[in-house]
Every structure is written in structure tokens, then in C-alpha cells.
Amino acid sequence: MKKVILITGVSSGFGKQTAKLLSDEGHIVYGTVRNEPGSDDLIHNLKMDLTDIGSIKKTVSEVLEKEGRIDVLINNAGMHTGGPIETSPIRNIKLQMDTNFLGMALITREVLPIMRKQGGGTIINFSSIGGLMGLPFQAFYSASKFAIEGFCEALRMEVKKSNIKIVLINPGDFHTNNSANRRNFLAPTGINDPYHEQFEKTLAIIEKDEANGWEPEVLAKKIVKIIECRNPHHRYIIGSFENRLAVFIKHILPRKWFRMILEDHYKIN
Ligand SMILES: NC(=O)c1ccc[n+]([C@@H]2O[C@H](COP(=O)([O-])OP(=O)(O)OC[C@H]3O[C@@H](n4cnc5c(N)ncnc54)[C@H](OP(=O)(O)O)[C@@H]3O)[C@@H](O)[C@H]2O)c1
């Protein structure tokens, strides 16, 4: 059945691929972008910035006005910051939380009454494997995704009676614009930053993992299947065997052992 879908962040990566596949499947797709929307015959582009509540409200009401309903909200848009907790600039920290967590929560709040009144819907929220384990030098990114995890657990119970399904996506390493777009804070050489050397070493590993990651089409295909599924799971962990293994062993190993494995991977000494 043809669905009205609103997906955030379709200018690149997962959002772009998913919006395309969904519209190829015949769904009515509205995708948000931050820059002036270009013309696209199949995807209706709307200008929206997650850090601007006015643009969030405008986007949701535009879709409602045109279609009269929103069946699926895909909270895909997000950004990464990298840097030491102690020295990362406050503006990076705020941008990280305002985009990944607060923006996602605010657009969800706008869509909930619409789904409630129409008798149901599906909300798909992008967390990360970094939302299931704290990643060194990506602490604020991890924190923003852990926040999404807690938000979804609570939301699922609150909307139980309204037939609104809440689905979490935890991608592992994927090859998108994510690495190039990451706002890293690396103190200039010469400035006394006790983390500089370690962060550079760890960042090289993070970027290598992402460069060797899967292509976003793999995840986009999975999203199409989830949308077509009557009873989707609460969570989908999508990534390489190593990515999924890391999540599994976190649950079974003593915390200290798991931390040592992560430290070894990220060359923390
Ligand atoms: N790639 C991975 O390995 C990976 C792993 C785990 C989770 N994820 C998650 O997957 C989602 C998609 O990321 P991606 O890998 O596809 O990265 P991407 O290629 O960088 O795409 C991110 C999208 O989010 C948009 N965006 C960023 N800040 C925004 C804001 N303030 N308001 C509205 N839109 C904004 C970007 O728009 P602009 O073009 O305007 O910047 C872009 O369309 C994110 O939530 C990310 O955290 C990615």
C-alpha cells in the first residue's frame, strides 16, 4: 500500500538512498534538506533544519496540508562530532545534542498528534552502534544516540494505545558522507592538549572503519522492508559481522573485558 513518508536528511548517505528506493516502490516521499531544495520529480524536497523549531513545524504542516496524513516518519538526519570530552568546544557539543537528539525529539512531537488522530503510524529513529556502547573521542555523538535509545524505550510505552510503532535502527560502519562531515576538534599542534596524540591515533582508526564500511544501499533496502512489514522489530542492528559481534559480546562479557577489547581496537594506551 502506498504510504506518505517523511524522511529527514535526504541530501546524502542513508537518507538519499532510502528516499530514492521508497519512491521507486511507489510511496509518496517527502525528504528534508538544509540547502535550497533542488527539483526532483519523485521526492518532494522540503527545506528544514533540525536546530530550528520553526522550520520543523513548517515542514510537518506542509506535508499534512498536502497529503492529509503522515504514515511514516524516518528520523535519519544527524551529524557527528569527534574530539576529547575535556577540550571539545561547547558549540560542537550543543550542535551535536541539538541535531541528533533534540531535533529528532521535536519533529517526533509534531508528528505524534497526526499519527494518533489517523489511527497509527510508524516512526523509525536512527541510533547507532555508538548508541549501544560509548565510543572514545565520540562521547557526545554516543551520548546523543544513547539519548535516542532512552527516548524510544519511553515513547514506545506512551504510544502503545495509539497503534504507533517505534523502530530503532543501529547502523554499524557505513561508507557515507558522515566521515567527511564530522566536526572534529583537534587542538593545533603546539597548544598543550594532553589528548592530541591519542585522538589523532584513534580518529585514524574510526575513519578507516568507516571507509571500509558497507554502502548505504544495504541499509536503505532494509528500511524499505521494515516499512512493508506489519509487525516490525523494536530494533535492527545493521552492519558487518564484527559490528554485530561487538554488540553481542558487550552483553555477555564482564564490563572490564569488553572495555579492554574496545581500547585495543582504538589503540588506547
Ligand atoms: N554512516 C555511518 O557509519 C553511520 C553509523 C551509525 C549511524 N549513522 C547515522 O545515520 C544517519 C544518517 O547519516 P549518514 O551516515 O547518511 O551521514 P550523511 O551522509 O552525513 O547524511 C546526514 C544527513 O543529515 C543532514 N543533517 C545534518 N545536520 C542537520 C540539521 N541540523 N538539520 C537537518 N538535517 C541535517 C545532512 O544534511 P546536510 O547535507 O545539509 O548536511 C544529511 O542530509 C545519522 O543519524 C547518523 O548518525 C551513520
Side-chain angles (χ1 to χ4, degrees), residues 190-221:
I191 294 205
N192 186 17
D193 178 350
Y195 302 99
H196 189 108
E197 201 182 319
Q198 181 62 66
F199 177 41
E200 267 194 325
K201 219 192 284 177
T202 302
L203 183 61
I205 297 159
I206 295 168
E207 289 183 343
K208 188 169 157 226
D209 288 345
E210 288 166 353
N212 293 331
W214 287 359
E215 292 301 320
E217 288 84 351
V218 179
L219 190 140
K221 283 184 186 156

Side-chain angles (χ1 to χ4, degrees), residues 91-155:
R91 66 174 180 281
N92 282 15
I93 302 168
K94 282 192 164 154
L95 184 65
Q96 182 70 88
M97 299 308 283
D98 285 352
T99 309
N100 287 16
F101 175 62
L102 194 59
M104 180 280 310
L106 294 179
I107 191 168
T108 300
R109 274 162 48 103
E110 292 301 313
V111 169
L112 282 177
I114 299 167
M115 289 188 170
R116 225 171 8 81
K117 280 181 204 144
Q118 73 196 17
T122 303
I123 300 177
I124 299 177
N125 286 335
F126 272 67
S127 174
S128 166
I129 282 193
L132 300 171
M133 58 190 75
L135 302 175
F137 299 104
Q138 297 184 81
F140 298 105
Y141 172 75
S142 269
S144 73
K145 298 296 190 182
F146 268 74
I148 293 174
E149 297 280 330
F151 176 87
C152 288
E153 266 184 41
L155 180 61

Side-chain angles (χ1 to χ4, degrees), residues 49-103:
D49 189 322
L50 280 172
T51 61
D52 172 2
I53 182 65
S55 79
I56 290 177
K57 283 179 182 282
K58 189 164 170 272
T59 296
V60 174
S61 58
E62 258 181 78
V63 181
L64 186 64
E65 214 168 278
K66 286 193 181 124
E67 306 297 337
R69 58 187 296 113
I70 299 176
D71 299 305
V72 182
L73 167 66
I74 306 177
N75 279 314
N76 159 75
M79 54 87 63
H80 279 220
T81 55
I85 292 173
E86 190 181 323
T87 54
S88 287
I90 291 174
R91 66 174 180 281
N92 282 15
I93 302 168
K94 282 192 164 154
L95 184 65
Q96 182 70 88
M97 299 308 283
D98 285 352
T99 309
N100 287 16
F101 175 62
L102 194 59

Side-chain angles (χ1 to χ4, degrees), residues 13-14 17-18 21 171-177 209-222 238-240:
F14 296 141
Q17 295 300 329
T18 307
L21 282 192
D173 292 310
F174 277 82
H175 187 58
T176 64
N177 280 5
D209 288 345
E210 288 166 353
N212 293 331
W214 287 359
E215 292 301 320
E217 288 84 351
V218 179
L219 190 140
K221 283 184 186 156
K222 188 77 191 173
I238 307 168
S240 65

Side-chain angles (χ1 to χ4, degrees), residues 22 47 49 68 108 120 131 189 226 238 262:
L22 289 169
K47 199 173 168 191
D49 189 322
T108 300
T189 321
I226 292 169
I238 307 168
L262 278 191

